[in-house]
Amino acid sequence: MAIFKGKLRPYWQLIKSLQTGLLLTTGLAGYMSARCPVTNWTTVLGLSASLFLAISGSTVLNMWYDRDIDARMQRTCQRPLPGGLVSPMEALRLGLVLSAAGVGWALALDRLYGLVVLAGLFLDVGIYTIWLKRRTPWSIVWGGVSGGMPILAGRALGNGGIDWIGALLALAVLFWIPTHIMTFSMRYFDDYRNAGVPTFPVVYGFQITRLVITLSSLAAALSIGFALVGIGMTWGYLRLLAVLSAGLLLLAVISLARPSERVVFGLFKFASLYMLSSMMLLILAAL
């Protein structure tokens, strides 16, 4: 068993389980915002499995393509690919198999749902990682669009189409992405600069980046707030969301007015908690 776990661990690290789990949660929340999960449990299982495979596959492909960048960064040089625990060909095969299985399963469940999942994978790997990430800091916009595809796909599967609520939920994820990613790129500024990755802090400086984070945090809170009102969420849940949104905005404003590494990292941590908590509110309201 220990040998098996030792061999499995590098492959598990390739899928970035925490990131994959958060995106999977957004997909489930999108579906449950339109359909009761108890009476549609078989579809929930299919959605969970197909999204897990597709998101994992795209993450592995990103890790495969960015292995040279990871090797130049102190934070990532011990990842399975630059660390030599997994060969590039093994990672490529794994990423392709997982991606094909996830998209194929999604298309089998529902054509529109499958097309949205496919679009998310293409935007993430093809547009964000391969085309734009090494060229411009604005690649984060397309990374955010791809990050919003799981919740849009889940909503489309449950609702039978793409509606304004699904679009707002996807926008909420899109606007949340800068808060999550830019705080991280500020914390590891030297790593990204030395690797030649044009992040917002590297290209525009910290103060402009903090302003973008504050504005995007406000936009994310408004988007998800209007979406949940449109869904018809009760005031009890909305009050909890208001408290979470206030915390996110407060940290963003503090990081702009009184910047420090501690505040920036606190905002990074809280941004993840904010998105996860918001999705859990959606899920709980549907039960």
Side-chain angles (χ1 to χ4, degrees):
M1 182 62 70
I3 296 176
F4 176 75
K5 288 183 178 179
K7 290 184 176 180
L8 182 62
R9 186 177 294 112
Y11 295 98
W12 184 251
Q13 292 172 347
L14 282 177
I15 72 169
K16 295 184 180 178
S17 56
L18 292 179
Q19 174 183 292
T20 295
L22 181 57
L23 290 174
L24 174 58
T25 302
T26 67
L28 288 170
Y31 177 78
M32 292 179 187
S33 70
R35 291 290 183 94
C36 174
V38 176
T39 56
N40 298 277
W41 63 271
T42 55
T43 305
V44 170
L45 289 178
L47 177 144
S48 301
S50 59
L51 271 185
F52 175 78
L53 290 170
I55 295 169
S56 297
S58 67
T59 303
V60 173
L61 291 175
N62 288 339
M63 295 273 274
W64 167 77
Y65 190 79
D66 284 343
R67 64 191 185 278
D68 60 324
I69 293 177
D70 288 343
R72 296 197 297 269
M73 297 173 63
Q74 185 177 359
R75 179 180 61 86
T76 57
C77 63
Q78 295 302 316
R79 281 177 173 174
L81 278 163
L85 299 177
V86 177
S87 73
M89 185 55 68
E90 286 177 315
L92 178 60
R93 288 172 179 168
L94 177 64
L96 291 174
V97 169
L98 290 175
S99 299
V103 172
W105 198 335
L107 288 169
L109 277 176
D110 180 81
R111 182 176 297 178
L112 177 61
Y113 165 69
L115 289 175
V116 177
V117 171
L118 176 60
L121 192 149
F122 173 74
L123 288 170
D124 186 34
V125 178
I127 303 299
Y128 169 66
T129 298
I130 295 177
W131 183 25
L132 296 176
K133 183 176 180 179
R134 304 177 190 226
R135 291 176 170 85
T136 171
W138 292 96
S139 63
I140 194 174
V141 174
W142 294 101
V145 173
S146 67
M149 290 298 102
I151 197 168
L152 182 64
R155 176 76 184 180
L157 181 61
N159 198 46
I162 295 176
D163 61 356
W164 68 271
I165 292 176
L168 271 181
L169 289 172
L171 280 175
V173 177
L174 166 62
F175 289 128
W176 167 82
I177 289 289
T179 305
H180 178 71
I181 297 298
M182 289 184 184
T183 51
F184 198 73
S185 59
M186 282 195 291
R187 181 175 175 83
Y188 295 101
F189 174 83
D190 290 334
D191 259 359
Y192 284 106
R193 182 182 58 183
N194 294 336
V197 179
T199 63
F200 254 77
V202 170
V203 175
Y204 298 109
F206 278 40
Q207 192 63 14
I208 294 296
T209 302
R210 293 188 188 101
L211 178 60
V212 172
I213 288 172
T214 302
L215 294 176
S216 66
S217 297
L218 175 61
L222 290 175
S223 297
I224 198 166
F226 281 123
L228 298 193
V229 169
I231 290 169
M233 183 171 282
T234 62
W235 281 109
Y237 288 118
L238 288 174
R239 282 195 291 267
L240 289 174
L241 177 67
V243 171
L244 289 168
S245 298
L248 181 70
L249 293 174
L250 179 61
L251 281 173
V253 171
I254 292 174
S255 73
L256 180 63
R258 297 182 178 179
S260 70
E261 185 176 349
R262 182 179 179 182
V263 171
V264 168
F265 193 58
L267 179 57
F268 167 75
K269 290 289 188 182
F270 190 81
S272 297
L273 177 63
Y274 173 79
M275 182 53 63
L276 179 61
S277 299
S278 300
M279 296 303 105
M280 292 307 298
L281 288 178
L282 261 176
I283 292 171
L284 289 172
L287 295 176

